[in-house]
Amino acid sequence: MQGTLFVSQTGLTAQDAKMTAISNNLANVNTIAFKKDRMVFNDLFYQKQFQAGAQMDSQNQRPNGLQIGTGVQVIGTQKMFVQGTALTTGAETDASIIGKGFFQIEMPDGTTAYSRDGQFHVNSDGMLVNASGLPLIPQITIPENATGISIGTDGTVSAVVAGSAEPEELGNIMLASFINPGGLEPIGGNLFIETQGSGAPNEGVPGEDYFGIIKQGTLEGANVNVAQEMVDMIATQRAYEMNAKVMTAADEMLQTLNRML
Amino acid sequence: MDKLIYTAMSGANRSMLSQQVHANNLANVNTTGFRADYERAHSYAVGGDGFSTRHIAVPMGVGSKFSPGVLEHTGNELDVGIRGEGLLAVQVNGQERYTRAGSMHIDEQGILMLGQFPVLDMDGQQIEIPDYRSISITEQGRVSVVPDSGGEVLLEVATLKRVKPETANLVKDAEGFFRPRTAAASLPADDTVAVASGFLEASNVNPVEEMVAILTTSRQFELQVKMMKTAEELSQASTRLIRPA
C-alpha cells in the first residue's frame, strides 16, 4: 500500500503527542515547582530501496542509493529542570530551593519521593508535611507552643518557644540530588520517584556542594514560559494540518488509481 | 501490449516514492536538527526492439538539504545548536555518526548522551561528566563544569568533536544519522565549527515547498494513471480491429 499514508500518520501522532505535552504545561502554569515537559522527536528508520553501487544493468552502477524515511517517532518527553520563577509569599513554612536539590518526602508505603515543592504545612501532630499531608524526611516536629519558625539557608529549622528567649533547634532539612534529574519519573502531586535512568540519590546539606540553598518565605513557581508554549501550540497545530493534508493527497492518489483503472 | 503502460507505470511508481519522501519531510517538520531529503529520478533508456522511445523513470539517491534551520533559544545549557556548517559526532552501534540535533543529556553513569547514543570528544571517546554545580559549553565546544567539590574553579572536561565534511559526501543511515558516503571509519575533527549552548536547531523543512511538492506529485500521479488507462484503451481498440468478424 501507499507508504505516504503511514508516514503522514506518524506525523499526525507526533504532533498530537506534542500538543498534549503543551496543554499539560499550560495547565500547570500556576502549579508550584512544576517542571515543564519537552517532547523529543526523532526521524524513524529509513527503508533502503536500492543500495548505492548496485548494478542497474550489466554495465552501469547506481551512483547513489535510495533510502526513504518512514516518518517521525516520539522518543519521549524530557523534563526541563530549569529553575522556576521565585514567588515571595512571606509564609514561614514556605521554602524554595535555589539550586539542584530536591526535598525528600515519605510516601505512605515508606518509600521516598522527591519534590521541589516547598509549600509545607504543620499537621495535627506538629509535623512538617507537604500539601498532601506526606511528611518531610528527616521528620521535623514543631512544638505546640512555638511562636515563630525559621528555616536557615542550610536547612536548619528552629523555633522560638513561648517563655524562652533562645530559639530551639528542631532539626535539619536534608536535600537529595540526582546526576540525571531528567530521568526521574513524575508521579503527580508535584512528586518524582527515582528510576534507573535518574541514578541513585545523593543526600546532602543545603548550601554545601551542589545541593542549592533553601530560602524561607518563598516558593518556586512553574518554569513554563507561556509565550513560548503558545507559539509552540500554533506551530504544532499547523504541522498537524499539513500532515493531514498529505494524508488526503495520498488517499486521493489511491482513489484515482481505483477509479480510473 | 504497448510498452506505454510500463513507462506510465514507472512514472506512477516514482510519484509514489517521491510523495513518501516529501511526507517524511513534513512529518519531521518539528524534529530537532532534521535535514530535509531530496528526491530525484533519472531517465533510463530501455533497450530492445523498435525505436529508442522508451525511457523509464528510475528513482535515484536521496541526498539531504543542508540549508541551516532556525536556532531556537531553549535556555538549557546541555542543548547545543551548530552555527553555520558542521556536525556533532556521536557513537551509534560502535560507529561514528554525525548529526545536527544537539539536545544532549547526562545519563545515570554521568556519560554525555544524545538520545540513546554517547557524544564523542576530540579523540573519539565518550565524555564522562563529574558531579557538578553548573555546566557550560563554549563556542568551541569545550565542556566545563564547576565540580561539586572544588569552589568556583572551572574544570574543563572535554571538547565536543565537531566535523565539517563536504555535505555532498554525506548520506543518512537507517537511523537517520549522517555518515560519509565512502566507508571511511571517521571524519577528522574540525575546530572551526562553532556551537551555541542553550540553543537547538529546528528542522530545515520548508513546509510550503513540501506541500506544493505533495500536491504536484498527486496530480502527476493522476496523469500517469490516465496514461495507463489510455494504453488500455488503445490495446482494446487494436484487439477489436483484428477480431475476426
Side-chain angles (χ1 to χ4, degrees):
Chain A
M1 268 291 272
Q2 217 350 355
T4 312
L5 273 179
F6 299 101
V7 171
S8 55
Q9 184 221 326
T10 66
L12 289 176
T13 313
Q15 305 312 327
D16 191 43
K18 182 162 186 177
M19 199 55 123
T20 312
I22 292 172
S23 61
N24 186 53
N25 286 347
L26 278 175
N28 283 294
V29 73
N30 275 331
T31 305
I32 296 301
F34 176 76
K35 298 292 169 197
K36 70 177 176 193
D37 284 309
R38 177 165 87 180
M39 266 296 160
V40 187
F41 293 153
N42 253 9
D43 36 358
L44 263 173
F45 63 93
Y46 285 71
Q47 285 171 327
K48 197 158 269 179
Q49 301 268 350
F50 309 107
Q51 178 71 49
Q55 294 287 331
M56 277 170 69
D57 55 32
S58 55
Q59 280 140 46
N60 301 309
Q61 282 186 340
R62 289 183 159 274
N64 294 320
L66 172 64
Q67 36 191 17
I68 295 194
T70 53
V72 60
Q73 181 181 25
V74 183
I75 288 285
T77 52
Q78 196 180 0
K79 276 267 175 217
M80 305 300 287
F81 279 90
V82 179
Q83 186 91 27
T85 42
L87 312 171
T88 306
T89 62
E92 56 186 8
T93 53
D94 282 350
S96 66
I97 302 165
I98 299 168
K100 282 179 65 181
F102 288 84
F103 293 114
Q104 303 174 83
I105 304 288
E106 190 181 337
M107 299 296 281
D109 61 1
T111 57
T112 307
Y114 303 89
S115 177
R116 298 270 306 177
D117 174 8
Q119 202 170 16
F120 297 115
H121 302 266
V122 181
N123 74 2
S124 56
D125 299 328
M127 260 167 22
L128 270 190
V129 294
N130 78 354
S132 337
L134 300 170
L136 194 65
I137 303 175
Q139 279 185 11
I140 288 166
T141 311
I142 312 286
E144 214 172 306
N145 52 356
T147 55
I149 305 164
S150 72
I151 304 171
T153 53
D154 61 352
T156 316
V157 184
S158 51
V160 180
V161 181
S164 162
E166 286 285 297
E168 187 184 327
E169 207 167 289
L170 305 172
N172 288 294
I173 297 176
M174 301 284 277
L175 298 180
S177 87
F178 295 88
I179 178 105
N180 176 26
L184 289 169
E185 184 187 336
I187 54 167
N190 293 351
L191 299 172
F192 296 93
I193 53 172
E194 174 195 345
T195 67
Q196 192 115 67
S198 67
N202 295 315
E203 199 181 40
V205 177
E208 280 182 19
D209 296 344
Y210 49 98
F211 293 98
I213 59 165
I214 291 183
K215 272 272 178 240
Q216 188 187 16
T218 63
L219 286 174
E220 185 181 356
N223 66 354
V224 179
N225 178 337
V226 183
Q228 192 194 340
E229 297 296 327
M230 293 301 284
V231 170
D232 276 356
M233 191 172 87
I234 295 167
T236 309
Q237 196 176 357
R238 296 293 165 252
Y240 189 89
E241 279 175 13
M242 284 185 287
N243 278 289
K245 188 105 189 168
V246 174
M247 195 174 253
T248 318
D251 180 41
E252 276 171 7
M253 273 165 69
L254 289 175
Q255 265 181 12
T256 308
L257 196 61
N258 281 329
R259 200 180 52 235
M260 282 203 196
L261 289 185
Chain B
M1 185 97 175
D2 198 281
K3 308 290 188 298
L4 166 62
I5 199 161
Y6 294 108
T7 18
M9 187 190 73
S10 84
N13 207 0
R14 187 250 159 148
S15 299
M16 285 176 103
L17 283 174
S18 163
Q19 196 170 42
Q20 190 174 343
V21 171
H22 294 298
N24 185 57
N25 287 346
L26 262 184
N28 285 292
V29 72
N30 274 333
T31 305
T32 304
F34 180 77
R35 304 287 88 168
D37 289 325
Y38 288 116
E39 177 280 333
R40 62 202 169 94
H42 176 89
S43 79
Y44 180 67
V46 184
D49 60 337
F51 296 113
S52 75
T53 49
R54 271 163 283 140
H55 289 79
I56 60 165
V58 180
M60 295 302 278
V62 191
S64 301
K65 288 180 200 174
F66 277 88
S67 56
V70 177
L71 281 183
E72 288 173 348
H73 182 73
T74 64
N76 185 5
E77 63 269 88
L78 285 176
D79 287 342
V80 292
I82 296 165
R83 292 194 194 276
E85 282 177 42
L87 297 125
L88 284 177
V90 287
Q91 193 179 51
V92 180
N93 308 328
Q95 276 158 325
E96 211 171 294
R97 295 285 185 256
Y98 307 94
T99 180
R100 303 260 313 176
S103 74
M104 305 188 291
H105 70 274
I106 296 168
D107 77 353
E108 70 278 11
Q109 269 112 38
I111 308 285
L112 192 62
M113 304 286 279
L114 204 152
Q116 46 184 320
F117 305 108
V119 180
L120 298 178
D121 68 6
M122 295 298 267
D123 304 321
Q125 301 296 313
Q126 300 185 0
I127 300 171
E128 199 176 332
I129 310 277
D131 277 352
Y132 63 87
R133 277 185 214 191
S134 68
I135 190 162
S136 59
I137 300 172
T138 65
E139 286 254 317
Q140 285 78 39
R142 292 201 183 89
V143 185
S144 314
V145 297
V146 175
D148 62 350
S149 45
E152 291 299 309
V153 187
L154 266 179
L155 172 74
E156 198 169 316
V157 183
T159 303
L160 302 175
K161 179 169 179 184
R162 292 140 298 138
V163 299
K164 200 199 263 180
E166 280 287 326
T167 50
N169 291 331
L170 290 173
V171 284
K172 273 187 194 174
D173 70 359
E175 313 262 10
F177 287 100
F178 288 100
R179 64 172 174 80
R181 193 182 292 279
T182 53
S186 64
L187 293 168
D190 188 327
D191 218 13
T192 62
V193 177
V195 299
S197 166
F199 288 85
L200 278 182
E201 189 181 2
S203 165
N204 73 345
V205 173
N206 177 343
V208 178
E209 209 173 278
E210 300 298 335
M211 276 318 298
V212 171
I214 295 248
L215 298 179
T216 317
T217 26
S218 296
R219 296 297 161 242
Q220 274 174 4
F221 183 82
E222 275 176 33
L223 286 174
Q224 277 132 4
V225 175
K226 196 134 199 167
M227 292 302 280
M228 291 185 219
K229 184 74 189 163
T230 310
E232 190 196 2
E233 281 161 6
L234 285 174
S235 171
Q236 272 174 355
S238 49
T239 318
R240 258 198 313 276
L241 277 176
I242 57 172
R243 188 182 293 153

